[in-house]
C-alpha cells in the first residue's frame, strides 16, 4: 500500500504534466489565432483593393473578359466587385448617419422636399440609434 505522501507526489506530478500540456495547447492556439487574424485582415485588404480596381475598370472591361484573360472565375470577380459596392454604400450611410447624429438641429428642421422620400427612422421619436436600427434607404446603383 502506498503512503499518503506518495499519493500526493503522484497527483502533483500528474497535475504538473497535464498543466504543462494545457499551457502548451493554449499558447499554440493563441499564436495560430493571431496569425489567422493578421492573414484575414490582409485578405480583406486585398479583396477591397480588387473591388476598387474592378469598379474603376468596369467602364473599359467587363467581368467575362477579365475572367477569360486572367483565368480568375467570373463568380469571384463578381463577388469582389459587389463587395466593393456594398462597402461603398455602407460608408455613405455611415457618413450620413454621423452627420444627422452630430447635428444640433432637430432632424425635422433639416428635411427638404427631396429628403421626404427617405424611410430612415427618426431617432428622436423612437429613441433608437442608427446602430440599433437598420437604415432603410433606397440607393441607386449605377
Amino acid at each position: 500500500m502506498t503512503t499518503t505522501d506518495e499519493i500526493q507526489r503522484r497527483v502533483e506530478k500528474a497535475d504538473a504534466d497535464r498543466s504543462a500540456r494545457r499551457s502548451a495547447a493554449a499558447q499554440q492556439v493563441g499564436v495560430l489565432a493571431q496569425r489567422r487574424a493578421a492573414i484575414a485582415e490582409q485578405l480583406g485588404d486585398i479583396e477591397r483593393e480588387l473591388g476598387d480596381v474592378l469598379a474603376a475598370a468596369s467602364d473599359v472591361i467587363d467581368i467575362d473578359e477579365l475572367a477569360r484573360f486572367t483565368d480568375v472565375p467570373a463568380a469571384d470577380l463578381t463577388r469582389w466587385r459587389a463587395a466593393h459596392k456594398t462597402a461603398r454604400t455602407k460608408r455613405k450611410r455611415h457618413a450620413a448617419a454621423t452627420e444627422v447624429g452630430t447635428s444640433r438641429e432637430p432632424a425635422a428642421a433639416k428635411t427638404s422636399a427631396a429628403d421626404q422620400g427617405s424611410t430612415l427612422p427618426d431617432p428622436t421619436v423612437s429613441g433608437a440609434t442608427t446602430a440599433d436600427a437598420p437604415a432603410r434607404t433606397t440607393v441607386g446603383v449605377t
Side-chain angles (χ1 to χ4, degrees):
M1 183 95 110
T2 59
T3 65
T4 55
D5 289 340
E6 180 61 20
I7 292 170
Q8 183 177 354
R9 187 189 67 72
R10 288 178 185 175
V11 169
E12 287 173 357
K13 183 181 182 309
D15 286 350
D17 291 344
R18 183 172 185 263
S19 181
R21 289 179 53 212
R22 292 175 67 214
S23 177
Q27 289 173 4
Q28 283 180 311
V29 168
V31 166
L32 291 171
Q34 287 175 350
R35 282 180 53 201
R36 184 197 176 282
I39 291 169
E41 185 177 344
Q42 289 175 349
L43 181 59
D45 291 344
I46 291 168
E47 287 183 351
R48 278 187 289 282
E49 190 173 345
L50 276 164
D52 292 345
V53 170
L54 288 165
S58 65
D59 62 334
V60 294
I61 190 166
D62 66 15
I63 295 294
D64 292 331
E65 273 186 310
L66 278 169
R68 281 195 315 270
F69 293 153
T70 63
D71 291 333
V72 175
D76 290 344
L77 296 169
T78 301
R79 178 173 46 89
W80 294 324
R81 186 180 63 191
H84 172 268
K85 289 179 181 178
T86 302
R88 189 178 73 220
T89 301
K90 286 181 183 176
R91 282 193 300 267
K92 286 182 180 177
R93 286 182 185 164
H94 177 70
T98 303
E99 290 174 13
V100 170
T102 59
S103 173
R104 295 183 188 265
E105 296 179 35
K110 292 196 293 184
T111 304
S112 68
D115 292 337
Q116 290 177 1
S118 173
T119 59
L120 284 172
D122 184 357
T124 59
V125 173
S126 66
T129 64
T130 55
D132 295 335
R136 296 181 198 121
T137 60
T138 55
V139 178
V141 178
T142 56

